[in-house]
Amino acid sequence: NAGVTQTPKFRILKIGQSMTLQCTQDMNHNYMYWYRQDPGMGLKLIYYSVGAGITDKGEVPNGYNVSRSTTEDFPLRLELAAPSQTSVYFCASKKGPGTGLSLSGNTIYFGEGSWLTVV
Amino acid sequence: QKEVEQNSGPLSVPEGAIASLNCTYSDRGSQSFFWYRQYSGKSPELIMSIYSNGDKEDGRFTAQLNKASQYVSLLIRDSQPSDSATYLCAVKWLTGGGNKLTFGTGTQLKVEL
């Protein structure tokens, strides 16, 4: 059972380079998220999607772009990488809107993380 | 700005003791509350959720919610070295789209032998 799969796990970028973090989930979840976590900090939401073709900004979207062409995939694009983007990136997914109180509807499943260093 | 605050710790407790982790949040319109455990170098995993005032127990874990005082806590009974991790409090707000969670910075728990 794969769950949420992120690639690559580790990457070193030079300032100004671009790259895409890949994320795919096999649980047929509608909601997908990208978070970043800086050392000693909590998770900050970069972008999210409530379904194929729909994306929206989170708390810290600057310097990133996303697309959601399929239910399964939610890639995160870094354009013109900067040292401030050195972080751990987590992709996550959730089954539905979770408007009720069910644990299954509200549980967010995380990928294993991608460690990105910009030098 | 909707905020979730936690003491970063580390909180050190001896093995077998009760660990008490606290979290406060800024918006009274918050809907539901979650505790995630994150081992070093790993992704967060959900361990407890709570929606109503009072206590919710699951094994050695008890989540407590007090909406009037805007705090949520996690108690870990009979703490084990394997409980050593960072515990993230997360809040889902009643307003705003996408069912987004706001996370606290986490409290590092160390259970000592």
Side-chain angles (χ1 to χ4, degrees):
Chain A
N1 193 1
V4 179
T5 303
Q6 291 180 234
T7 56
K9 194 166 179 69
F10 300 96
R11 180 75 185 267
I12 297 175
L13 275 181
K14 293 184 178 179
I15 295 172
Q17 286 186 319
S18 300
M19 74 159 297
T20 299
L21 296 175
Q22 302 292 342
C23 176
T24 187
Q25 51 90 10
D26 62 358
M27 297 175 283
N28 199 32
H29 284 176
N30 290 317
Y31 286 66
M32 295 189 74
Y33 308 85
W34 273 106
Y35 290 91
R36 61 176 287 175
Q37 186 176 35
D38 298 331
M41 302 297 287
L43 295 154
K44 298 292 186 183
L45 183 64
I46 305 171
Y47 271 94
Y48 67 98
S49 169
V50 301
I54 306 170
T55 62
D56 208 345
K57 296 177 180 179
E59 303 171 73
V60 290
N62 291 342
Y64 306 94
N65 275 302
V66 293
S67 61
R68 184 93 183 271
S69 57
T70 66
T71 299
E72 295 78 20
D73 300 308
F74 191 41
L76 177 71
R77 177 85 176 159
L78 280 74
E79 303 282 4
L80 298 175
S84 61
Q85 293 178 302
T86 294
S87 190
V88 182
Y89 292 82
F90 289 102
C91 180
S93 72
K94 187 159 73 79
K95 181 178 177 60
T99 52
L101 301 183
S102 69
L103 189 61
S104 62
N106 282 289
T107 299
I108 290 180
Y109 297 85
F110 285 88
E112 294 190 342
S114 297
W115 274 254
L116 177 65
T117 301
V118 181
V119 296
Chain B
Q1 182 75 5
K2 296 172 179 173
E3 296 181 344
V4 178
E5 296 191 358
Q6 296 179 254
N7 187 322
S8 61
L11 172 66
S12 294
V13 299
E15 184 178 6
I18 296 175
S20 177
L21 306 163
N22 300 311
C23 170
T24 60
Y25 57 94
S26 62
D27 190 339
R28 285 185 177 273
S30 302
Q31 184 181 48
S32 46
F33 309 85
F34 305 87
W35 283 100
Y36 282 80
R37 178 176 62 201
Q38 186 175 26
Y39 292 113
S40 180
K42 301 294 185 182
S43 58
E45 57 177 326
L46 180 67
I47 55 172
M48 287 289 287
S49 61
I50 187 166
Y51 313 102
S52 304
N53 278 327
D55 295 358
K56 178 182 177 183
E57 187 174 319
D58 183 1
R60 296 187 295 112
F61 298 100
T62 298
Q64 299 176 318
L65 176 61
N66 184 325
K67 289 188 176 183
S69 300
Q70 295 174 234
Y71 82 79
V72 57
S73 61
L74 178 70
L75 301 178
I76 305 175
R77 291 182 300 281
D78 188 23
S79 295
Q80 301 297 310
S82 59
D83 295 325
S84 297
T86 296
Y87 291 80
L88 300 168
C89 173
V91 177
K92 185 168 85 167
W93 311 105
L94 186 60
T95 57
N99 285 267
K100 302 181 292 291
L101 295 183
T102 297
F103 285 84
T105 56
T107 298
Q108 185 183 5
L109 173 66
K110 293 184 177 181
V111 180
E112 299 169 332
L113 295 171

